[in-house]
């Protein structure tokens, strides 16, 4: 690891923290994908809480606050918690979130009972046992980096080697089981990898950071792709980027690393949820608004035409009463019709009148709507090779002229 | 009231307040909201300290409640985009709030001792020592506060029963008949947040988290009827309050921890021997069915 640390133009401790955050982000992004996609996002939370009784039992057995044995205790408790969680989920109607919650609260209650028991033994060396689990990124050592890198390598290897099997088991476990794949063992194996990552991560950066690191890169990556093959590397890269950015920001502003990384991760995930192209919340809101405007535009165009056929050209107020459209919507739509050159206002009363282009547009629109109505009525008798529904806004373009002409024929006879 | 009774009643009332809402959280796949709220109150405590320089219980409860409500609304907002599932939304929001709290402490409040244990995460064993004088009668503060919350929850659940039921099981249907599932779910989440924050202060965070999840999940294993499920959740909560207290006294152990373990025991029992969904019942059913299939096949041959 020494060469990597030397490579980074930062002080020794800062470089260690940045590399640690990057490795942790990479591992948790990849492993977290499997948790998040199974609705088990908070499994890290449960494992982190479950470590408490494990630490207590390890202390009771060894009688000393030795880092190695306490971590082993925490890992065993985490494994027990994870296996219980998977078992509850598989054998009963309890859903993943409740299973995680039950395991979390039961293990933590047990931990508290054990802590009071240890405290009643009047042994001075037990002080601070419960704080032992929750580390500080600033306290990372080069030796820790080696452990983390080994873990990251091992889990990436497992994921790459077993990608196809894991994918089937993840998305359709019944199908996987019918193929003869050992679904439960796979499930437990993936959870175990997660447990080891969480136990080591929690010791280094704290429980809450670990919870966030398993989730935020995956949520962000999920907004950007639909394919597991891209999701996994993307989540890993995003996780590493979040870790590095958070660690650099933290060292720059002299704040604790863990919380800053959490904040950065949340911002990245939120940005992806809002702005992801084609899927993000804001993108969709804009799309919906544009569709609404288009619908109003076409609707009002036809309504003016109908009103002109029925009698004298209507005033805005008459049109509003006839159509029941909200005042503001009608006003903006009329303005955009005018701007498009489809509408004129006549005389002192500003009566609405379609221009020549407007009449032509209305006529074309009516034809398109008739064609859609014809499709709904006769579409099944066309016997098209392509079974897909045409675009209701433009049936002719999506079916082709041939089919559209036949539809028109069917509708007129 | 003697001290034992105060502790048991406090825990029982907390179990009532939580048991009324817990089943809905379990059914809506948001059981871990309680754990999220327990972490999200930290920035509230810090903000209360920074703004008003106080650690008085009422101010801290209000500060914590503001952030708890913020937390559940943010989770609901993220979830309602349809892009993030509720478990991931929970896991995105509460670490953020907790992290902001930690940053606030290190940046502005590192000089003072803002100990979570002493401010909002109460210890149920101290419940009898804090007494209010209401109209000449001495009432333990925790009993009064939790009792009020439990009563409010009862009123809410009874008044909105039909709507809660419809929106929990079939939000689409509820929407079409003119109920407002989004609004109702937000009101319920706010009720959860306020219940949790007030209960933290009297009985401690882990007991609240336990009481919101485990009795509800246990009841879910025992029955298909919502009314029975809520009643069972409250009942299991009271059982663990009473049994947990005596267990803790007998074993000289943590009261909240022992009550949690009794809850765990109830869950394990239900998981094993629930008449309809228990492991034993399922195994028996499966064996009977395969025997029936075998005889049917033999008869056909």
């Amino acid at each position: 690891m020494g060469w990597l640390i030397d490579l980074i133009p930062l002080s020794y401790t800062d470089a260690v923290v940045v590399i640690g955050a990057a490795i942790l982000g990479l591992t948790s992004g990849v492993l977290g994908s499997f948790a998040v996609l199974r609705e088990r996002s908070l499994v890290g939370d449960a494992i982190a809480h479950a470590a408490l009784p494990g630490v207590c039992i390890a202390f009771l057995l060894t009688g000393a606050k030795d880092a190695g044995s306490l971590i082993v205790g925490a890992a065993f408790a985490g494994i027990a918690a994870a296996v219980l969680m998977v078992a509850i989920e598989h054998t009963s109607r309890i859903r993943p979130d409740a299973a995680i919650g039950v395991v979390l609260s039961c293990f933590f209650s047990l931990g508290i009972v054990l802590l009071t028991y240890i405290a009643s033994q009047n042994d001075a060396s037990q002080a601070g046992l419960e704080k032992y689990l929750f580390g500080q990124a600033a306290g990372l050592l080069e030796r820790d980096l080696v452990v983390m890198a080994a873990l990251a390598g091992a889990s990436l290897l497992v994921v790459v080697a077993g990608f196809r099997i894991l994918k089937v088991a993840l998305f359709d476990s019944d199908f996987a089981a019918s193929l003869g794949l050992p679904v439960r063992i796979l499930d437990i194996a993936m959870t175990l990898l997660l447990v080891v990552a969480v136990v080591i991560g929690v010791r280094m950066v704290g429980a809450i950071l670990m919870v966030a690191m398993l989730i935020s890169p995956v949520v962000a990556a999920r907004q950007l792709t639909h394919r597991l093959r891209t999701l996994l590397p993307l989540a890993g890269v995003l996780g590493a980027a979040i870790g590095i950015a958070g660690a650099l920001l933290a060292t720059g502003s002299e704040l604790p690393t863990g919380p800053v990384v959490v904040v950065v991760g949340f911002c990245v995930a939120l940005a992806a949820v809002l702005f992801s192209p084609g899927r993000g919340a804001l993108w969709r809101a804009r799309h919906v608004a544009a569709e609404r405007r288009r619908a109003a535009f076409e609707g009002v165009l036809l309504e003016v035409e109908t009103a002109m056929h029925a009698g004298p050209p209507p005033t805005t107020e008459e049109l509003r009463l006839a159509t029941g459209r909200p005042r503001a919507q009608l006003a903006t739509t009329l303005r955009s019709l005018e701007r498009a050159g489809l509408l004129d206002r006549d005389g002192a009363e500003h009566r609405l009148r379609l221009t020549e282009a407007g009449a032509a547009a209305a006529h074309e629109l009516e034809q398109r709507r008739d064609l859609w109505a014809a499709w709904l009525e006769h579409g099944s008798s066309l016997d098209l090779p392509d079974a897909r529904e045409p675009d209701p806004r433009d049936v002719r373009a999506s079916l082709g002229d041939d089919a559209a002409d036949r539809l028109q024929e069917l509708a007129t006879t | 009231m003697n001290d034992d009774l105060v502790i048991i009643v406090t825990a029982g009332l907390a179990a009532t307040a939580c048991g009324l809402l817990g089943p809905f959280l379990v059914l809506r796949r948001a059981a871990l909201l309680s754990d999220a709220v327990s972490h999200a109150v930290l920035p509230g405590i810090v903000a209360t300290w920074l703004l008003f320089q106080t650690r008085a219980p009422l101010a801290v409860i209000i500060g914590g409640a503001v952030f708890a409500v913020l937390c559940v609304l943010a989770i609901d907002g993220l979830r309602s985009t349809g892009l993030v599932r509720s478990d991931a939304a929970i896991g995105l929001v509460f670490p953020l709030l907790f992290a902001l709290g930690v940053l606030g402490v290190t940046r502005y409040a590192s000089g003072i001792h803002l100990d979570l244990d002493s401010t909002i995460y109460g210890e149920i064993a101290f419940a009898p020592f804090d007494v209010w004088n209401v109209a000449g009668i001495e009432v333990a503060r925790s009993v009064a506060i939790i009792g009020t919350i439990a009563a409010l929850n009862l009123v809410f659940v009874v008044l909105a029963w039909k709507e809660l039921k419809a929106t929990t099981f079939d939000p689409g249907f509820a929407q079409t008949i003119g109920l407002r599932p989004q609004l109702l779910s937000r009101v319920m989440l706010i009720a959860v947040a306020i219940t949790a924050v007030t209960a933290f202060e009297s009985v401690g965070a882990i007991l609240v988290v336990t009481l919101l999840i485990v009795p509800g999940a246990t009841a879910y294993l025992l029955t298909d009827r919502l009314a029975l499920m809520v009643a069972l959740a409250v009942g299991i909560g009271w059982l663990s309050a009473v049994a947990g207290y005596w267990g803790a006294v007998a074993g000289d152990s943590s009261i909240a921890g022992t009550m949690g373990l009794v809850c765990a025991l109830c869950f394990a029992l239900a998981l094993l021997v629930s008449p309809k969904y228990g492991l034993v019942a399922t195994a028996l059913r499966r064996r009977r069915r395969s025997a029936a299939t075998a005889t049917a096949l033999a008869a056909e041959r």
Side-chain angles (χ1 to χ4, degrees), chain A residues 42 207-213 215-216 258-270, chain B residues 36 39-44 46 67 70-71 74-75 78 88-104:
Chain A
L42 290 159
I208 306 294
L209 169 64
M210 209 45 225
V211 171
M213 277 310 259
I215 300 175
S216 50
V260 177
V261 175
V262 172
V263 175
V264 171
F266 179 82
C267 293
V268 171
L270 186 68
Chain B
H39 292 98
V41 292
L42 178 63
V46 178
F67 275 83
L70 198 72
C71 170
I75 290 170
L78 265 179
I90 292 173
L92 276 178
V93 172
F94 89 83
L96 173 79
L97 288 173
F98 192 80
L100 290 178
V102 172
L103 288 177

Side-chain angles (χ1 to χ4, degrees), chain A residues 249-411:
Chain A
L249 269 178
T251 48
S253 54
E254 287 177 7
L255 286 169
T257 315
V260 177
V261 175
V262 172
V263 175
V264 171
F266 179 82
C267 293
V268 171
L270 186 68
V273 167
L274 288 181
F275 303 117
S276 148
R279 178 178 156 110
L282 282 188
W283 193 94
R284 262 192 336 199
R286 225 185 57 192
H287 184 72
V288 168
E291 281 295 299
R292 283 223 178 98
R293 270 199 306 277
R294 195 188 57 80
F297 186 89
E298 295 185 347
V300 171
L301 181 67
L302 286 184
E303 281 154 13
V304 175
E305 206 222 7
T306 320
M308 278 173 63
H309 277 299
T315 61
T316 313
E317 189 58 21
E318 280 166 11
L319 191 67
R320 190 181 71 81
L321 289 173
T323 60
R325 285 188 188 274
R327 204 182 290 269
Q329 188 202 39
L330 190 62
T332 39
T333 313
L334 286 176
R335 263 200 305 280
S336 53
L337 279 168
E338 256 179 306
R339 234 175 295 130
L342 305 181
L343 190 81
D344 254 346
R345 298 185 199 235
D346 275 350
E349 286 177 299
H350 293 294
R351 288 193 173 271
L352 301 167
R353 189 179 58 77
L354 291 183
T355 62
E356 229 161 86
H363 181 66
E364 201 227 312
L365 184 64
E366 248 169 9
Q367 269 185 335
R368 264 192 281 152
R369 293 203 169 180
D370 287 346
L371 203 55
W372 173 244
W375 162 262
L376 289 181
E377 198 170 340
H378 305 287
S380 53
S381 55
L382 271 185
D383 250 350
L384 292 176
D386 189 350
R388 277 176 301 178
E389 182 105 315
D391 180 1
R393 284 169 301 183
D394 201 348
V395 178
R396 186 172 284 274
S398 39
L399 288 186
D401 283 332
D402 242 17
D405 289 340
R406 270 165 58 208
L407 256 187
Q408 249 168 356
E409 238 168 76
L410 282 170

Side-chain angles (χ1 to χ4, degrees), chain A residues 39-42 45 91 93-95 97 105-106 108-109 112-113 116 208 215 223 253 259 262 266 273 279 284, chain B residues 27 29-31 35 81 83 85 87 91-92 95 98 107 206 210 214 220 223-224 253-254 257 260 264 277 279:
Chain A
E39 292 185 61
R40 286 188 196 148
S41 306
L42 290 159
D45 200 20
T91 58
R93 64 196 311 224
I94 299 286
R95 300 203 192 96
D97 68 304
S105 39
C106 294
F108 207 72
S109 295
I112 289 177
V113 168
T116 37
I208 306 294
I215 300 175
Q223 309 309 318
S253 54
V262 172
F266 179 82
V273 167
R279 178 178 156 110
R284 262 192 336 199
Chain B
L27 288 171
R29 306 186 178 208
D35 186 50
T81 59
L83 301 174
R85 291 228 191 88
D87 60 323
L92 276 178
F98 192 80
R107 192 80 180 182
I206 182 60
T210 310
V214 186
Y220 185 54
T223 177
D224 287 332
S253 183
S254 151
Y277 299 107
L279 293 180

